[in-house]
Amino acid sequence: MTILEGREPEAAVTGPRSPAHWWGEYLPAIRQWEDVTGRAAPPPTEAGRKGGPRVTVEWVEWLMGLPLGHVTAVPGLTRGQQLQILGNGVVPQQATTAFAALLDLEV
């Protein structure tokens, strides 16, 4: 079962951690990333146009390790534009690691 299958859209997080029942076997990884980012994971799904669950832009933003609202708080962007920006974006932690590795090569 994937994160989206058979699940109702979730409510907003009100505490320091997201509810454990959202994550199933992924709970240890989610807890670790919550510790790294310093904030609870937002709801992974919301109701789509036809009522079925779809991924939330806030969760994608959080998953990438971006600051809260880095993309989702930009005025005037549609959900599709936000996802496009995130999809074309760089995960800062990966970029930092890549640059560090390149610098160690002394090219």
Side-chain angles (χ1 to χ4, degrees):
M1 179 161 109
T2 67
I3 272 182
L4 300 177
E5 288 177 4
R7 180 170 300 152
E8 291 295 317
E10 308 293 355
V13 177
T14 57
R17 296 271 187 159
S18 59
H21 72 273
W22 286 1
W23 308 113
E25 66 185 285
Y26 303 106
L27 181 61
I30 294 295
R31 289 293 185 247
Q32 184 176 11
W33 198 235
E34 286 176 329
D35 291 342
V36 169
T37 63
R39 63 183 209 253
T45 61
E46 64 187 4
R49 288 186 202 179
K50 296 181 181 180
R54 67 180 185 183
V55 69
T56 64
V57 180
E58 293 80 9
W59 187 71
V60 175
E61 183 179 65
W62 173 84
L63 196 59
M64 292 179 71
L66 298 171
L68 181 64
H70 186 72
V71 173
T72 57
V74 176
L77 293 178
T78 66
R79 178 181 183 278
Q81 289 169 327
Q82 291 174 349
L83 288 172
Q84 183 177 12
I85 290 167
L86 291 168
N88 289 331
V90 174
V91 174
Q93 295 81 357
Q94 287 180 312
T96 301
T97 301
F99 278 120
L102 289 171
L103 292 171
D104 283 345
L105 291 177
E106 298 177 16
V107 178

